[in-house]
Each structure stands twice: as C-alpha cells, then as structure tokens.
Amino acid sequence: MRRIRVGIGYDVHALVEGRALILGGIEIPFERGLLGHSDADVLTHAVMDALLGALALGDIGKHFPDVDERFRGITSLILLKNVINLIYEKGYKLGNLDCIIVAQRPKLARFIPAMQDKLAEVMNVKLDQISVKATTTEHLGFEGREEGISAQAIVSLVKIEEEY
C-alpha cells in the first residue's frame, strides 16, 4: 500500500457579466465573474480534481455532474468538504497543497491570505499546508485577454496512520 499519493488538478472558466467572482471560497470585487453550473470557483475545482486524482477517484465531473440540478449554483466549498470526507474515508489526509491562479485581472495578492485561511478551514488542516499563488500571463492567451481564469493545483496525500 502506498504511503504517499500525489495528484494534479486544472480548471478554467470564462469571465462573464452578471456573476460574482469566487476564488478559493472568497468573493473578489470585480466587474465580471466566472461562468459555470456551480459558483465556478476555478481554484477550488482544481484543488478537488487534484485530491480526487491522487487516489484515482476520477474528477469532479464524475462526482458532481453539471447536469445534476442539486449542484446548480452550489458553493464549491461544500463540494470540497465532500471530497475531503471521501479522502479521509479512503484512509488518507492532506500532506500539502500548492496551487496557482492565472488571471490578468483582477490583482489577487491581497486576497490570497483569505483564500488560504478558507481552504485550510474547510479542509481541516494547518495553514502551513496550503500554498496559493497568483500570476498573470503578460497579456498572452485567453487569461491575458481577460476571457477567463484558470487554476492549477498539486496535492500530496499521506496515509492517516503514517507520519510524514
């Protein structure tokens, strides 16, 4: 049985008028938000995919399909809590999380501590296990043209009875 598992996640959503911008469970003041079936929180979605991938459990589309009305408009933090519970049921806990948000605008540096706090709280881990970063693409690509925002995450999971 493996003591350490690693997973990677990626998500992207288009920026649109008339939606709140939610990243890491935090509402960010901005003139547009992300389009999606749920709250379209790309950061939290990437984290969930990384967690699920670490244990070969599929992706968030398998667990929370966008054709299921129960998930319409749902806060992604609720879904994250469900994923964390599944990880615990499988005998694992978070070792660490490292993630990055790619957005030309808005500038996110001042919101990152709140995102880290929220993710640590929902995942029931210490703050020093959570790293959130943000970057631009220097106006290149869909993020640089402000058409959307993407996020990537990588996690390590450790067996609950193991020390790391």
Side-chain angles (χ1 to χ4, degrees), residues 47-83:
V47 170
M48 289 188 289
D49 269 347
L51 290 164
L52 292 166
L55 294 180
L57 297 174
D59 61 20
I60 61 173
K62 173 183 174 182
H63 293 268
F64 313 109
D66 64 4
V67 295
D68 191 329
E69 287 302 309
R70 293 178 299 162
F71 305 124
R72 181 173 298 283
I74 195 167
T75 279
S76 294
L77 295 177
I78 292 171
L79 305 179
L80 177 58
K81 190 64 175 174
N82 288 335
V83 169

Side-chain angles (χ1 to χ4, degrees), residues 10-61:
Y10 173 80
D11 196 37
V12 61
H13 285 273
L15 280 164
V16 295
E17 301 284 335
R19 295 265 308 197
L21 178 57
I22 309 294
L23 296 170
I26 303 301
E27 186 166 346
I28 310 296
F30 195 57
E31 66 266 12
R32 292 177 291 156
L34 295 169
L35 180 63
H37 185 70
S38 66
D39 62 3
D41 181 342
V42 292
L43 177 59
T44 303
H45 292 182
V47 170
M48 289 188 289
D49 269 347
L51 290 164
L52 292 166
L55 294 180
L57 297 174
D59 61 20
I60 61 173

Side-chain angles (χ1 to χ4, degrees), residues 79-150:
L79 305 179
L80 177 58
K81 190 64 175 174
N82 288 335
V83 169
I84 285 296
N85 289 340
L86 178 61
I87 299 304
Y88 287 148
E89 287 171 14
K90 297 291 184 181
Y92 284 84
K93 63 183 178 181
L94 183 72
N96 75 299
L97 161 67
D98 187 21
C99 47
I100 188 161
I101 305 163
V102 184
Q104 194 63 43
R105 281 188 331 120
K107 296 297 184 191
L108 298 171
R110 69 183 174 120
F111 301 103
I112 287 176
M115 291 180 212
Q116 291 172 300
D117 287 342
K118 184 62 73 176
L119 290 171
E121 174 189 331
V122 170
M123 298 173 77
N124 195 30
V125 297
K126 295 176 182 169
L127 192 56
D128 69 0
Q129 293 173 266
I130 307 292
S131 171
V132 176
K133 303 176 299 285
T135 192
T136 70
T137 62
E138 301 298 329
H139 302 281
L140 298 173
F142 72 89
E143 298 105 332
R145 291 187 302 269
E146 299 182 28
E147 296 170 4
I149 294 176
S150 69

